[in-house]
Amino acid sequence: MADFKDKCTIIGPTVAIRGKVKADEDLVIRGRIDASISSTKLVHVDKDGVVKANVEAESVLISGVVVGDITATARVELMGTARVVGDIASPLLVINDGARLRGKIDMPAVDKAMEERYVEQPKAAVQAKPAAVAAAPHALAAKPIEPAAKGKEPIKPADSAIPKPIMNELGTDKVGAPRVLGKAETPRKPGTIQPVVASGAADSARKPLPGVDPKAADKDRDRDLDIDAIVDSFGIEPEVEEIEMGGDDDMLSIYDVDGAQSQEPTQVGGGPLSAKKN
Amino acid sequence: MSAERTILGPTLEIEGEIEGSEDLVIQGKVNGRIVSKKSLTIDQTGDVNATVTTEGLAVSGKLNGNVEASDKVEIRREGTMIGDIKAPRVVIADGAKFKGRVEMGVD
């Protein structure tokens, strides 16, 4: 029996589980799980693994398909083959090139950092406190509205004036108070994550912002159905390629932070070429 | 690694349904239903409260539930089982605890 004492459970490719799974050990999933997973250790969804439920764990590593929300206390990593539909909440997130994701990303550390920034920069920013924990997205959404509600003061100039400094903060960090930046960034490790976060936050800000944008919402819903159906059809061997992320450029920007470098040259190269021809 | 076997470790708790076409070893807890096309082993630390349909079953841990096996059911020395067994071959080892009915399909 010592044979079985491995501190790791591997759920093989022909195994399907429905219901609920709880684990205090590493879990490798190669099969199909329609069960909410809660683990105090690592959950690894392998290439052939399909999980259609929420995942809660210390850390989550995904190379396969996950349809459901992912909550990690330590770290989430999407490998290049990962296909994820669902929201991710984790203090640390790595999205590797090639991974596909549709969903919101929530990194508590970012919330805190954004909060601090708003608190320390009350002048240009809102007088009204940004909804405390809600942080960036809501704060962004709230700002243009708040002044408008308060009076008939110069609304439009305010609108255009306020977002700019924020964008700078997010993007270049030139305007933001350096002290705050330092605080915010020390706890996190790789620099690559920062941009992911920033664009992720910006992205989620973009969606709620329009407020009245039923088209986008409908699209999302449709895609939801599609992907569910596709994942259903995977059965045991997911043909991951079939998942369509629907050429959504906004989405791409989330994980193309790294890819942007490799893409830019091709585009830039394209310009001169066509110019020469002309 | 690629061995056609899934081991559900001792800290694993599953509520619901497990279906598999490979050997399954259960060391943790399972509540619900298990359907296996191959063998199912309930290890000493295993605690299963489920209806089991399988080809072969070996119980070294605890099993509470009815079993239908197309080949063989074996309750080992350390095993405890409460429930009915329906299988062409049944082995109950010396020291095993069992309570239930056995049907070996004698035609």
Side-chain angles (χ1 to χ4, degrees):
Chain A
M1 298 302 141
D3 196 8
F4 300 148
K5 285 277 170 166
D6 297 332
K7 279 267 173 177
C8 169
T9 285
I10 300 173
I11 294 174
T14 72
V15 175
I17 297 179
R18 255 153 280 150
K20 235 195 252 175
V21 178
K22 253 172 76 178
D24 282 325
E25 62 196 27
D26 292 354
L27 197 58
V28 179
I29 297 164
R30 303 211 169 104
R32 159 104 199 206
I33 296 208
D34 290 3
S36 62
I37 299 171
S38 63
S39 165
T40 55
K41 296 268 171 65
L42 170 79
V43 172
H44 179 188
V45 181
D46 219 353
K47 252 187 176 180
D48 301 326
V50 177
V51 174
K52 216 181 139 188
N54 297 350
V55 179
E56 273 176 47
E58 186 191 53
S59 44
V60 182
L61 178 61
I62 301 174
S63 321
V65 178
V66 175
V67 179
D69 297 346
I70 298 162
T71 311
T73 55
R75 164 194 175 91
V76 172
E77 178 158 4
L78 309 192
M79 306 307 284
T81 54
R83 304 292 182 259
V84 176
V85 182
D87 299 347
I88 298 176
S90 165
L92 200 74
L93 172 65
V94 180
I95 300 182
N96 285 295
D97 195 9
R100 296 195 189 172
L101 163 70
R102 192 169 69 68
K104 272 187 298 177
I105 293 169
D106 179 20
M107 298 171 112
V110 179
D111 282 356
K112 265 186 203 164
M114 297 308 280
E115 229 177 288
E116 280 174 30
R117 275 182 214 179
Y118 286 118
V119 171
E120 298 218 351
Q121 281 196 334
K123 302 161 200 168
V126 224
Q127 310 107 317
K129 301 161 198 164
V133 188
H138 296 276
L140 278 173
K143 240 161 275 159
I145 298 162
E146 214 86 3
K150 288 218 169 175
K152 294 140 201 171
E153 291 192 82
I155 294 162
K156 285 180 181 175
D159 273 357
S160 53
I162 289 168
K164 272 179 193 168
I166 293 158
M167 289 313 289
N168 285 340
E169 251 184 275
L170 282 174
T172 54
D173 286 334
K174 278 173 193 165
V175 183
R179 289 170 286 155
V180 184
L181 272 178
K183 267 186 216 162
E185 277 170 5
T186 26
R188 255 170 278 121
K189 283 173 200 167
T192 36
I193 288 165
Q194 182 63 23
V196 173
V197 170
S199 57
D203 182 71
S204 54
R206 235 177 279 142
K207 281 181 182 172
L209 244 186
V212 196
D213 196 353
K215 286 177 198 169
D218 282 347
K219 260 189 215 163
D220 278 358
R221 250 172 254 145
D222 288 347
R223 252 182 261 135
D224 231 337
L225 290 177
D226 284 352
I227 289 170
D228 279 1
I230 289 162
V231 172
D232 266 337
S233 72
F234 286 164
I236 291 159
E237 292 182 2
E239 270 293 331
V240 265
E241 296 304 328
E242 284 179 22
I243 289 195
E244 289 178 19
M245 297 307 286
D248 189 343
D249 290 339
D250 286 354
M251 286 301 305
L252 284 176
S253 66
I254 289 182
Y255 32 82
D256 263 4
V257 175
D258 287 338
Q261 291 173 345
S262 57
Q263 280 184 1
E264 268 168 25
T266 50
Q267 284 171 358
V268 172
L273 268 180
S274 54
K276 276 174 197 168
K277 279 176 195 169
N278 291 340
Chain B
M1 232 177 101
S2 60
E4 298 264 317
R5 186 171 75 172
T6 284
I7 300 172
L8 304 175
T11 72
L12 212 66
E13 286 176 31
I14 295 178
E15 237 165 76
E17 213 170 285
I18 305 176
E19 241 179 77
S21 318
E22 62 194 271
D23 292 349
L24 213 56
V25 178
I26 295 174
Q27 298 172 338
K29 280 188 190 168
V30 177
N31 272 319
R33 203 159 75 90
I34 301 172
V35 181
S36 166
K37 292 195 179 108
K38 290 270 181 68
S39 82
L40 173 69
T41 305
I42 299 172
D43 255 0
Q44 287 183 45
T45 53
D47 185 351
V48 176
N49 209 320
T51 307
V52 177
T53 310
T54 179
E55 188 190 55
L57 170 69
V59 182
S60 303
K62 286 184 197 160
L63 171 62
N64 195 335
N66 298 343
V67 177
E68 192 170 328
S70 60
D71 183 34
K72 179 180 166 186
V73 172
E74 183 177 352
I75 304 174
R76 298 200 176 131
R77 201 158 47 84
E78 314 86 356
T80 305
M81 178 179 167
I82 300 175
D84 298 345
I85 299 175
K86 190 175 172 189
R89 293 196 289 155
V90 175
V91 177
I92 298 182
D94 186 8
K97 298 186 182 87
F98 174 70
K99 183 181 176 184
R101 282 184 303 177
V102 175
E103 194 180 312
M104 292 168 63
V106 186
D107 294 321

